[in-house]
Amino acid sequence: MATDYRPMWTKLGLDLEAHDALLEVLGNMYQTTYLSQKNRPKGMGYLDFVMGEVHGLRIQELENAKAQGRKVIGTFCVFVPDELIIAADAISVGLCAGAEFGFEDAEKLLPRNTCSLIKSFFGFKLNKVCPYIEASNMIVGETTCDGKKKAYEIFKGIQPNLYIMEVPQMKNAADRELLKSEFIRFKNELKNLTEVTIDAARLKKGIDTVNNRRKALYRLASLRASDPAPISGLDALLINQVAFYDNPVRFTESVNKLCDELEQRVRDGEGVFPKGTPRVLVAGCPMAVPNWKLPAIIETSGAVIVGEESCVGERGTQNLVDDSGTTGEALMNAIVDRYFKIDCAIFTPNESRLTHISEMAKKYNADGVVHYALQFCSPYSVESYQVEQALLKEGIPSTRIETDYSQEDLGQLQTRIEAFIETLKS
Ligand code: BJ8
């Protein structure tokens, strides 16, 4: 970062010493995990720049927008509709929670056997190291898994601008009605905060912006079906991670430009790993920045990741919002319909996720699936059995991994992943 952002971080209330420590860890991880990769597309230069400025220029942009009267909304879950946030002329930022930072403090408020993702956002807040949390005018929590739902009750005590959105747990008509009423309540809350009335034209703009971002990510995903894969899974994951906090229009343009380059690579038969490298689909819990542990192990163990069935991946982006409606009511219904299809493991039953994983494995020509669950995450850990059974029926090999954000199990994971990749070669 060329600019000195310390005055801005101080104003946001960050603990500069702890924040420096975090940035140092992040910088080193980025260097060893990302910048050491071979054959990266040139278009990744934009993502490297964004990551280099993740706590700098982007936060400055948010602060500048706030000075002009706009609001920043922090979110933890893909159930929060960005379309409504954009329609209210506000800015949506995903609050990443992918680092083991401040866990000691988090464990003073939460049981030790809480998943790393939840401990991470507590740790970031308690250690005052996340400028996105501090820059947000409103933070949206959701009633998805029990861990998050109950943790938000405690989080509200340290983050008073936390708003809770209810998310249904089944897919019946009454559940859709519940989701719709929650989206309407959220729309009203946004109006109170921003003083912007969300009409059909504003909704349409929000829908177009988010649909365009999704389309760019679909384009990227489909190019990864080629052998050799034109981009690494690590880089594709990073793009999906950055999607949560970058300016959506600028991000979409950059991804489309990168896809032009990848298309040329596909035409030239150029890839990040040799043709015939074993291909893996990763399915399961979302991987927030800088949770790159498992993908890094997979891609340094002789395989390439060709898709992510995750909320930081295709579960979070699949299905466009139908933009054909002309009234606010029709467009709101279209938004609800799209979000109601998200197949997070908090739903019961959750058959569509099982089908989607098999479909993705076939579409991206994966040789096998690595199912990833964070330790103490009941929804994904329990569902991993059904995923395994569904894949077995399709003749697709899979393995189930449970881990956390620590580095302690690196060796053990590496051994398991290497053994799985070996089976894919035969
Ligand atoms: S829609 S996946 S982003 S809830 S890992 S905190 S589930 S115990 S993150 Fe998620 Fe929304 Fe669902 Fe997607 Fe709980 Fe599991 Fe922890 Fe998790």
Side-chain angles (χ1 to χ4, degrees), residues 76-79 115 117-118 144-145 148 285-286 311 315 344 374 376-377 380:
F76 288 114
C77 175
V78 297
F79 262 100
C115 89
L117 197 145
I118 297 173
T144 43
C145 67
K148 275 200 201 171
C285 288
C311 286
R315 187 182 333 115
C344 171
L374 276 174
F376 312 121
C377 169
Y380 285 91

